[in-house]
Amino acid sequence: MHRHGIAISGAVLAAVLVLSGCAGGENLYARPLGDFEQAVQRTATATRIYSALARQDLNNAAISALAVNPDATISFDVTACAKGQDAKACKVVNSGGSPIVSNGPSIPPTVQMMSRIETYAALLADIAGTVSEDELQARQKTADSALDKLQSGAAALKAGQSKRGLKDFKGAAEDALAGAYLQSQRRKLLTALVKDADPVIAASSKMLASTLGGVRESYLETQSFRLNLQVLNFNNLGPLLKAGGGVTAPASAMASAQVLRRESLSRLVRESGQLQSVASMEIGASFVDMAKAHAALLQALEFSGTDLGMLVEAIENFRATSAKASNALSTLQGMM
Amino acid sequence: MADDLDTVNTHIERLGDSAINLQSLSAQAMRDGDPAKAQDLATQAMLLMGKKAELRARRRDLEATGEQWSNMLDKLDDLDQKAKRAKTHMHEAQDTVEAAKTVLGVVGKILTVL
């Protein structure tokens, strides 16, 4: 009976370790995967912002060129627009009918590329299935429930009780083995996928960083020169406000100058704020971070597949469910 | 394509240099107490920068329609397909486990009966 008890105790301990390892806390690669997902989200947002900036950059250039050209005239079909029959009629165009700002591609190539990386990151999370906190909590509950079953099954066996106890024990052991099998499959699939993906993510990150870095550079240049001109305009309008101060300006010119300066200043403050935001955001670094996060994920996956990695993972995960597991073990020790 | 890119690159560089030179002259005019000239030169510099931005956009479009970019999009498409297949395999593995559990359960029952 004593030998029987030791055998059960050993089996239960092994099952608890396996169970806590596969169904409890995080995997070694869960955090790097979360980091990569977050980096992808950050770069995807930045990509969309920069695509909008690229559009704005060209619009500003076209409008500036038109504004300083004394021969340029624009037109607007007031009657057609007022009738509301054709939305296109409500667009202000060049006098020849051509658009003032040209339309770019509906989805810029950078956004297309980033969208594919987003899809990949989302699928990785699907395969890993352990990224969200909700999912981790759900798995924790499953682990807790399995430990309960294991505990009651062992107790029933110890007391030589019903078949139900045996069933519970078998169920828990099967869950543990199934979990270990699935975990092994998941690790294999993820490692192969992430290994294949790593050079692609690294290269596409470089391309995106270079292209969007160019957008940033261009935006900073054109906007700086535009703002500089607006600053000069603002300052040059100053003398018009000085009645009798060197420049003789009629009252109407003074009023106009005041209005122009006020509008110009409020626009300057707004646009310089936007310019500062772009200047302080280094888009290239975001993509370097994304590629690094992916490389770290690959390292974690490869490490988790080694004997040492599996041991570390089992220890880490065991620690994650330590409270429950140690309670179960104490109870079992008491029973054996 | 490469020739186009080279030409565009050369123009971009020249436009940038010219804009910077005009801006320097504008700053000099301001220091010399000629704000009207300074403003005029700054306007010319801004317009050149606008042209430069247009050429930069054209360069981006040329690159995005080039071989390197389309190869990378293809590779990313392949990656997404691989990831979808891996997800399917994972679901299949889960199904296999469920099926195995059922079989084990049945075998257990038979053994119990025997």
Side-chain angles (χ1 to χ4, degrees):
Chain A
M1 186 64 196
H2 179 64
R3 202 181 300 161
H4 184 60
I6 290 171
I8 291 175
S9 175
V12 168
L13 181 61
V16 167
L17 278 169
V18 172
L19 190 65
S20 62
C22 66
E26 287 192 3
N27 304 311
L28 278 184
Y29 53 81
R31 186 167 296 169
L33 181 56
D35 289 346
F36 175 62
E37 264 206 302
Q38 282 179 10
V40 169
Q41 288 309 314
R42 277 197 298 275
T43 47
T45 305
T47 302
R48 280 188 278 273
I49 292 171
Y50 273 72
S51 299
L53 286 182
R55 200 70 254 133
Q56 195 184 328
D57 199 17
L58 290 178
N59 289 353
N60 286 340
I63 288 167
S64 297
L66 206 62
V68 298
N69 179 0
D71 299 325
T73 53
I74 55 174
S75 68
F76 176 64
D77 194 343
V78 59
T79 317
C81 180
K83 283 180 185 166
Q85 288 167 341
D86 184 6
K88 283 180 191 167
C90 296
K91 196 172 183 177
V92 175
V93 290
N94 283 309
S95 52
S98 62
I100 288 171
V101 291
S102 58
N103 293 320
S106 53
I107 305 173
T110 46
V111 174
Q112 287 177 28
M113 190 176 275
M114 197 61 231
S115 147
R116 282 159 172 82
I117 296 174
E118 278 186 289
T119 305
Y120 163 70
L123 286 165
L124 275 189
D126 278 353
I127 298 163
T130 58
V131 177
S132 79
E133 200 175 327
D134 287 348
E135 281 178 71
L136 276 175
Q137 280 176 353
R139 292 185 68 194
Q140 185 71 44
K141 278 182 190 165
T142 310
D144 289 349
S145 149
L147 280 167
D148 283 340
K149 277 165 73 183
L150 198 61
Q151 194 175 326
S152 63
L157 276 176
K158 169 75 172 64
Q161 284 172 359
S162 66
K163 286 178 186 172
R164 191 174 164 217
L166 182 61
K167 198 179 156 196
D168 280 349
F169 181 76
K170 272 180 63 192
E174 279 167 14
D175 283 348
L177 291 171
Y181 168 74
L182 286 176
Q183 182 72 344
S184 145
Q185 285 295 103
R186 183 176 287 122
R187 185 185 289 118
K188 271 185 205 165
L189 285 168
L190 281 172
T191 306
L193 185 60
V194 172
K195 200 171 187 173
D196 278 356
D198 203 50
V200 181
I201 295 296
S204 56
S205 296
K206 266 188 190 168
M207 285 171 77
L208 284 166
S210 164
T211 303
L212 294 174
V215 170
R216 176 179 180 268
E217 210 175 277
S218 180
Y219 183 84
L220 289 175
E221 273 180 0
T222 49
Q223 289 299 97
S224 301
F225 275 68
R226 274 186 67 241
L227 257 62
N228 174 63
L229 185 60
Q230 286 175 31
V231 168
L232 283 178
N233 284 341
F234 180 87
N235 291 339
N236 289 346
L237 284 169
L240 289 176
L241 302 177
K242 294 176 189 166
V247 179
T248 311
S252 61
M254 282 174 64
S256 298
Q258 274 180 355
V259 171
L260 283 172
R261 269 164 69 96
R262 190 168 56 243
E263 286 179 357
S264 168
L265 188 56
S266 72
R267 197 170 54 243
L268 264 171
V269 168
R270 192 180 62 247
E271 290 189 0
S272 70
Q274 194 178 358
L275 197 57
Q276 277 181 309
S277 303
V278 176
S280 63
M281 190 164 61
E282 182 47 81
I283 183 80
S286 303
F287 283 98
V288 169
D289 285 350
M290 183 175 80
K292 275 185 185 168
H294 193 269
L297 171 62
L298 178 57
Q299 278 182 347
L301 277 164
E302 285 180 333
F303 178 67
S304 76
T306 63
D307 288 345
L308 179 62
M310 282 191 262
L311 181 64
V312 171
E313 191 167 286
I315 292 167
E316 284 292 314
N317 289 327
F318 184 69
R319 196 164 54 188
T321 53
S322 60
K324 188 74 185 177
S326 64
N327 285 342
L329 284 170
S330 302
T331 314
L332 286 169
Q333 274 172 349
M335 288 190 299
M336 295 302 166
Chain B
M1 161 88 182
D3 288 347
D4 286 350
L5 266 178
D6 285 345
T7 311
V8 171
N9 282 336
T10 308
H11 285 313
I12 287 173
E13 205 173 321
R14 284 182 187 161
L15 280 168
D17 290 346
S18 302
I20 298 288
N21 286 339
L22 282 170
Q23 184 51 43
S24 300
L25 291 172
S26 167
Q28 185 59 49
M30 203 65 200
R31 283 193 294 273
D32 294 344
D34 190 348
K37 189 179 175 188
Q39 194 168 326
D40 183 45
L41 288 166
T43 305
Q44 297 305 318
M46 180 200 69
L47 291 173
L48 288 187
M49 273 301 176
K51 287 281 172 207
K52 187 182 174 188
E54 280 174 24
L55 283 184
R56 277 175 180 273
R58 197 175 142 204
R59 181 171 64 185
R60 284 199 298 274
D61 290 345
L62 278 173
E63 284 169 350
T65 52
E67 198 179 345
Q68 195 191 9
W69 201 275
S70 87
N71 281 347
M72 189 50 71
L73 283 174
D74 287 347
K75 280 181 185 171
L76 285 166
D77 277 339
D78 283 348
L79 196 60
D80 286 352
Q81 289 307 317
K82 273 184 198 166
K84 278 177 194 158
R85 281 197 296 275
K87 187 182 167 185
T88 309
H89 286 159
M90 199 60 223
H91 286 164
E92 283 169 0
Q94 281 163 344
D95 291 345
T96 306
V97 163
E98 288 309 312
K101 273 191 196 173
T102 310
V103 171
L104 276 175
V106 171
V107 170
K109 276 178 191 167
I110 292 168
L111 286 176
T112 309
V113 169
L114 288 175

